[in-house]
Amino acid sequence: MSDHGHEHDAAHEHGSGGHAGHSHGVTADADRRWLGIALTLITAFMAVEVVVGIVASSLALISDAAHMLTDAASIVLALIAMRLAARPARGGFTYGLKRAEILSAQANGLTLLLLGAWLAYEAVRRLVNPPEVEGGLMLATALVGIVVNVVAAWCISKANRTSLNVEGAYQHILNDLFAFIGTAIAALVVVTTGFARADPIATLVVVALMFKAGYGLIRDSGRIFLEAAPADIDPDALGDKLAAQPAVVEVHDLHVWQITSGQTALSAHVLVEPGGDCHAVRRDLEKILQHDYGITHTTLQADHVPDNVLQVAFPGDTADDTAHCDDRHGPVHRDEPHEH
């Protein structure tokens, strides 16, 4: 007995309650407001810093300004992605444009890596031939930059950082804050000792932080694009847990993926013992998924187990001998010892 028809009704029913947790409503407006304040602060200070960096001949200041430009771009991307993601699903985009936020996060990670590579090259070149640096001007500008970035980072931290999109913009600002701290330390060294190479050394330290943040963003966004399971969910353990529930004989074609950050979806084919209530089993499994894993986007096809799958209980039979689907995806989960 197939559960297709009831499955769709339940999806609507379940979705109205489960999807409420994903509603960003007023929070999305607040996020946009905080990001807008940070964008204004960064853009205004960046214009001043470019001029001062050129006058002071400081690569650290110029690199900070370049980084601030990517900060501004990352926030603009985040704001655009938020608006796209808020559009309702229609036409061929059955999930809407929610993954626009993941595209934004990946772009932020890539710009961090590319900018870091360019700054690393410039820093090494200046280590070999250090130019004269105006340490006093560099120090004053860096100190003001620290204040501006602390305020900007605080603004973005008030937004929803569970969004990989917002986290991308936050990482840009946070790395810029570290860059200004490094620049201030380097400027202090230049002023007190005249050691001009402190400027590119500070730049290299910041480059290392940029590479770390950029790699993290690309890795996390890449997992979502490749439809990997969320990092905090083990699909094998989840499948075994579902298969261990009363009346469940087997769970296969289990897929767990993220539509966007913080929004996980799951689908599976569940075989129920003869005489079992497919609808009740499906509802119980949905409750487990929602309560234990926070997964509310679920599509569970529940059917009574065919005779050939029941034969799995006979001595000498294997999972492959009794497969229900000709083209299975992933391991078969049963409440018995088995390999994954």
Side-chain angles (χ1 to χ4, degrees):
M1 167 179 163
S2 177
D3 197 14
H4 289 295
H6 194 82
E7 175 186 325
H8 287 294
D9 293 339
H12 288 293
E13 226 174 74
H14 192 64
S16 62
H19 290 206
H22 298 300
S23 176
H24 217 29
V26 175
T27 306
D29 292 335
D31 287 353
R32 285 192 286 268
R33 184 172 67 250
W34 287 116
L35 289 172
I37 293 171
L39 178 62
T40 302
L41 284 170
I42 287 168
T43 304
F45 184 74
M46 178 183 64
V48 175
E49 189 180 19
V50 170
V51 176
V52 176
I54 294 172
V55 172
S57 297
S58 168
L59 176 64
L61 282 181
I62 294 173
S63 68
D64 288 343
H67 194 188
M68 290 193 89
L69 178 61
T70 66
D71 293 345
S74 73
I75 294 175
V76 170
L77 271 176
L79 289 168
I80 292 172
M82 279 181 179
R83 292 199 175 276
L84 289 175
R87 292 183 178 179
R90 61 166 61 96
F93 295 93
T94 56
Y95 279 127
L97 296 174
K98 294 184 182 302
R99 281 199 176 166
E101 294 191 327
I102 309 305
L103 279 171
S104 171
Q106 194 161 68
N108 284 333
L110 186 60
T111 56
L112 280 170
L113 293 182
L114 292 176
L115 182 60
W118 176 73
L119 292 176
Y121 168 78
E122 285 294 321
V124 170
R125 191 171 66 84
R126 289 202 173 201
L127 276 174
V128 176
N129 295 304
E132 291 294 325
V133 178
E134 292 288 340
L137 192 56
M138 178 181 166
L139 178 59
T141 307
L143 291 175
V144 176
I146 290 173
V147 174
V148 170
N149 276 270
V150 165
V151 175
W154 178 80
C155 287
I156 296 185
S157 72
K158 300 290 286 182
N160 177 26
R161 282 184 55 205
T162 59
S163 164
L164 197 58
N165 177 45
V166 174
E167 179 65 15
Y170 180 75
Q171 285 297 330
H172 266 273
I173 303 296
L174 195 61
N175 275 271
D176 211 22
L177 174 59
F178 293 149
F180 274 109
I181 293 172
T183 301
I185 294 171
L188 191 60
V189 171
V190 171
V191 169
T192 56
T193 68
F195 182 60
R197 285 186 173 88
D199 179 61
I201 290 172
T203 302
L204 287 174
V205 172
V206 173
V207 163
L209 296 171
M210 291 170 68
F211 281 153
K212 181 177 182 293
Y215 169 75
L217 286 169
I218 288 179
R219 178 198 61 210
D220 293 344
S221 59
R223 284 184 62 88
I224 292 176
F225 281 127
L226 292 174
E227 298 197 332
D232 60 341
I233 293 179
D234 180 354
D236 286 337
L238 186 154
D240 289 347
K241 186 167 188 173
L242 297 182
Q245 300 309 306
V248 176
V249 175
E250 177 181 302
V251 175
H252 60 261
D253 282 0
L254 173 64
H255 302 283
V256 189
W257 72 100
Q258 286 181 286
I259 300 168
T260 186
S261 51
Q263 196 167 339
T264 303
L266 177 145
S267 66
H269 191 184
V270 180
L271 298 184
V272 180
E273 63 187 20
D277 187 337
C278 289
H279 301 324
V281 168
R282 176 187 50 75
R283 286 193 294 269
D284 290 343
L285 296 184
E286 284 179 346
K287 288 176 182 176
I288 290 171
L289 291 170
Q290 182 171 8
H291 181 267
D292 294 356
Y293 298 94
I295 302 175
T296 56
H297 291 267
T298 57
T299 303
L300 298 177
Q301 178 186 342
D303 294 303
H304 285 133
V305 62
D307 290 339
N308 67 316
V309 176
L310 281 177
Q311 292 172 2
V312 71
F314 294 167
D317 282 345
T318 64
D320 289 336
D321 296 332
T322 58
H324 174 60
C325 294
D326 293 332
D327 184 19
R328 290 173 303 162
H329 304 281
V332 173
H333 301 271
R334 296 193 180 100
D335 189 20
E336 60 184 29
H338 60 279
E339 293 184 2
H340 286 309

